């Protein structure tokens, strides 16, 4: 078995947009009249925009109509975009740039598999778009992670088999999606939380693509 493609999640793996999501959701909660804490925000990581809103409303004990929910999600996104528009290459997480450059040099296929509908804009602002052969994001899928759809679509576009793909994920639901897709998975974060991953590293700093692939190739 040989890994031919790398698929990266975005938020929490390549950049840390969670704090911008948090500021924007907290503002919506404030307008609705309740507090939304950073700890509660952890539940939104890797989850789609509408599912995030459902969790927020659950925290506030509120029930709204579909129309009201759509308006709130739009409002949150407009607020979130004011932060995203100002993002720069300096916000790419440590070690990511050399890792992507090495993958390119090794002629591996590289895809993004993210729940975010803003993924292309974030890659553009952080100057990472040229590293990706394809982007599969929240605009392209019907089922959110832990459903494997996002990663299976990426493999299809890259014309590789699932077992030739290595996924990098920071969220439990994302690790599950990768494993359900029949792919290998490196968790970025804590081994306790991401125990379903084949390997867990704290971040990309100090890790080369060659080091990581050695652990998977011909397994
Ligand atoms: P948007 P990922 C996810 O990104 C975030 O982790 C999650 O908090 C967010 O709700 C979701 O994207 C949708 O984002 O509102 O921009 O469409 O981790 O899958 O890259
Ligand atoms: Mg993530």
């Amino acid at each position: 078995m040989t890994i031919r493609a790398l698929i990266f999640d975005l938020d929490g793996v390549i950049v840390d947009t969670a704090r911008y999501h948090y500021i924007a959701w907290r503002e919506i909660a404030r307008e609705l009249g309740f507090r939304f804490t950073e700890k509660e925000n952890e539940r939104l990581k890797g989850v789609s925009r509408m599912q995030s809103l459902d969790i927020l409303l659950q925290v506030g004990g509120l029930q709204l109509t579909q129309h009201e929910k759509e308006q709130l999600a739009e409002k949150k996104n407009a607020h979130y975009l004011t932060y995203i528009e100002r993002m720069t290459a300096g916000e790419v997480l440590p070690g990511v740039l050399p890792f992507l450059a090495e993958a390119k040099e090794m002629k591996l296929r590289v895809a993004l598999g993210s729940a975010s509908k803003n993924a292309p804009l974030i890659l553009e602002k952080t100057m990472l778009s040229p590293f990706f052969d394809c982007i599969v994001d929240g605009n392209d899928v019907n089922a959110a992670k832990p459903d494997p759809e996002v990663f299976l679509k990426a493999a299809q576009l890259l014309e590789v088999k699932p077992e030739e793909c290595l996924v990098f994920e920071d969220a439990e639901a994302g690790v599950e999606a990768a494993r359900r897709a029949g792919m290998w998975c490196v968790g970025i974060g804590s081994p306790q939380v991401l125990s379903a991953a084949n390997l867990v590293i704290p971040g990309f700093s100090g890790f080369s693509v060659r080091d990581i692939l050695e652990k998977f190739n011909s397994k």
Side-chain angles (χ1 to χ4, degrees):
M1 199 275 312
T2 307
I3 300 287
R4 294 176 57 215
L6 306 183
I7 307 177
F8 295 85
D9 173 51
L10 182 61
D11 178 28
V13 170
I14 289 181
V15 287
D16 184 11
T17 42
R19 60 201 170 103
Y20 301 137
H21 282 295
Y22 174 55
I23 295 169
W25 283 126
R26 188 182 57 187
E27 181 60 22
I28 296 289
R30 197 190 59 78
E31 284 174 24
L32 292 171
F34 64 92
R35 274 190 71 222
F36 183 59
T37 66
E38 247 179 303
K39 190 164 173 255
E40 286 157 347
N41 186 62
E42 285 299 306
R43 293 173 60 194
L44 308 192
K45 289 188 178 173
V47 167
S48 75
R49 193 180 308 165
M50 286 314 277
Q51 283 173 322
S52 298
L53 177 59
D54 283 336
I55 296 172
L56 187 89
L57 295 176
Q58 199 188 59
V59 169
L62 294 177
Q63 275 193 334
L64 301 180
T65 65
Q66 188 57 25
H67 179 65
E68 287 169 326
K69 288 207 285 189
E70 273 157 24
Q71 282 185 322
L72 278 181
E74 215 169 282
K75 196 170 188 186
K76 179 265 172 181
N77 195 52
H79 189 196
Y80 175 68
L81 282 177
T82 63
Y83 292 96
I84 298 309
E85 293 284 356
R86 294 197 293 254
M87 280 185 90
T88 65
E91 287 183 64
V92 174
L93 288 172
V96 170
L97 202 56
F99 200 87
L100 288 172
E102 189 188 354
K104 274 272 133 191
E105 175 221 302
M106 289 172 74
K107 307 233 174 333
L108 290 163
R109 317 242 43 218
V110 176
L112 191 85
S114 165
S116 175
K117 293 187 171 175
N118 297 302
L121 177 66
I122 295 169
L123 288 187
E124 188 199 309
K125 291 288 171 191
T126 53
M127 319 250 280
L128 292 180
S129 310
F131 290 101
F132 291 86
D133 297 305
C134 78
I135 297 174
V136 183
D137 65 20
N139 300 294
D140 307 309
V141 293
N142 297 312
K145 301 169 190 175
D147 190 282
E149 186 184 2
V150 64
F151 295 135
L152 289 172
K153 255 201 177 142
Q156 209 178 3
L157 287 171
L158 294 177
E159 297 179 339
V160 291
K161 295 189 196 119
E163 64 268 29
E164 295 173 324
C165 296
L166 182 57
V167 174
F168 295 87
E169 251 297 345
D170 70 308
E172 247 182 303
V175 172
E176 188 185 329
R179 300 300 290 140
R180 277 168 61 182
M183 298 177 180
W184 303 94
C185 185
V186 175
I188 307 292
S190 132
Q192 281 81 36
V193 181
L194 305 174
S195 56
N198 301 99
L199 171 74
V200 182
I201 59 175
F204 289 97
S205 268
F207 289 96
S208 71
V209 179
R210 283 177 180 82
D211 287 344
I212 303 248
L213 289 197
E214 219 167 78
K215 300 186 197 299
F216 289 93
N217 284 336
S218 304
K219 235 186 181 178

